[in-house]
Amino acid sequence: MSKDYYKVLGVEKTATADEIKRAFLKLAHQYHPDKNGGKDDKFKEINEAYQVLGNAEKRKQFDQFGANFNGAGGFGGGQGYGGFGGFQNGGMNINMDDLGDLGEMFGGLGDIFGFGSARGGQGRRREPQRGSDIEAAMTIDFLEAVFGAEKEVTLKKKITCAHCGGTGAEPGAKIEECPTCKGHGRVRRVQQTILGSIQTEASCPSCGGEGKIASKKCSECNGAGTAYDTAKFKVRIPAGVDDGGRIRIPGYGEAGDRGAGVGDLYLNIRVRPSDKFARDEYDILTKKEISFTQAALGDKIEIETVHGKVELKIPEGTQSGTVFKLKNKGVPHTSGRNIGDHLIEVVVKTPKNLNKRQKESLKELGI
Ligand SMILES: [Zn+2]
Ligand SMILES: [Zn+2]
C-alpha cells in the first residue's frame, strides 16, 4: 500500500523539519487514542508518516521513490533500514526539554509523553519549581488611585530561606557529584508507550541539572531553599488605576525552590469613594449648584478639581442640567499618555422664601 506521508501529516513537500515535527505533534495530540475522539488507526498512520519524514535520510528516500515508496515496512532489514520497521518496535528519541516547549504550545501534549512522571518520579526530589504567583487585595484612597502612590505591603508568603540563601544546602556543606546523574546534569529513561519505546532525556531531578549536590541539606528549610515568613515591602501604584483594577508586580510573588525564579504578585485594587468626586473611567464627575440669577445672567464660578481650583465661566441663559467640561482636569491614563476631563453638571437653584418685594419684581419682569 503506498501512502503520501506528506498528506498524512498535512504538510507541503517543501516543509522544513521543524514544520513536520510540529504537524506531527499537533496531530498526535489530536488523535491520541486515549483522548476523546482519538483514533487508533489514524494515530498509527501519523506515527508511521513521522517515522519517515521526521528523519532526513528516510525522507530523502521517500522523496526519491515517491508514490512507490512502500511504507516503513518496505525498507526491511535487507536494505539496512530495519531501525524503523514497525510501529511497535520503532524506537524514538525525544528530547524532553524540546517537547516541553511544544507541549505547552499544543496544550496538554505533555500528557501523552508522561512528562509528569518523568519529572517527578517516586522517591526523587522534584526539579526546582518557579515560585507561585500570589494575589492580595489593597484598598487605597480616591486621590491615590488618581495620582498613584507608594504603598507598603505586608504579606505572609514563601520567601527565600535566609539560612542557606535559597540554595537548599547547609552553609559550609561539601559539594559533591550528584549520584543520580553522575554529574552529567541530565537523566535518560526508556518508557514503553503507544508510540513504541521512547527514550526521554530530561534535566536531572536530583540536582536540577547542576550535576553537583550538597552533602548536607539546609537544616532550616530541609533543602527546599524557601521558608514561610512575613514580608514587608513597598510597591508603586500607578496613576489612573481604578476600583476593581489589578496590578501585576513582577518578582514579588513566592520564592521558587532552591533559587528557581520568583513568582509575581497581583494586587486587586479597591478604591475608597470620595465625598467630593465621582469617577467614570478617566473622567471626574461633579455637580455644582448655581443661583437662578447666575444662570440667567451668567457668572464666573470656582470649581474644585482633583488638580486644584479652576475658574469656570457660566454663560448667560444656562439651563439646569447643563454639563460643562474642563479639559484635562481628570484622571491620568494608566498608560501615561492621556488625561481625562472634569465634567460639571450645573444645577440651578430655584429661589425659595422670596419676600414680597422680590415676588413683585419677578412678576413685573414676567419670568
Ligand atoms: Zn535553607
Ligand atoms: Zn543530578
Side-chain angles (χ1 to χ4, degrees), residues 148-163:
E150 194 175 71
K151 302 291 284 181
E152 192 167 82
V153 179
T154 307
L155 273 182
K156 199 150 176 77
K157 62 170 187 169
K158 230 181 186 182
I159 58 164
T160 302
C161 170
H163 188 60

Side-chain angles (χ1 to χ4, degrees), residues 104-149:
E104 269 170 31
M105 228 167 75
F106 294 117
L109 185 74
D111 298 345
I112 300 177
F113 299 103
F115 290 156
S117 53
R119 290 200 168 161
Q122 287 217 328
R124 289 174 170 177
R125 271 169 79 174
R126 63 200 173 100
E127 265 188 77
Q129 303 268 326
R130 178 185 176 267
S132 312
D133 295 337
I134 45 180
E135 273 194 70
M138 175 179 275
T139 304
I140 58 175
D141 290 335
F142 189 88
L143 289 179
E144 288 178 326
V146 171
F147 293 111

Side-chain angles (χ1 to χ4, degrees), residues 178-187 204-212:
C178 170
T180 306
C181 63
K182 308 267 181 291
H184 294 298
R186 316 268 313 158
V187 285
C204 173
S206 298
C207 60
E210 293 274 297
K212 283 174 271 181

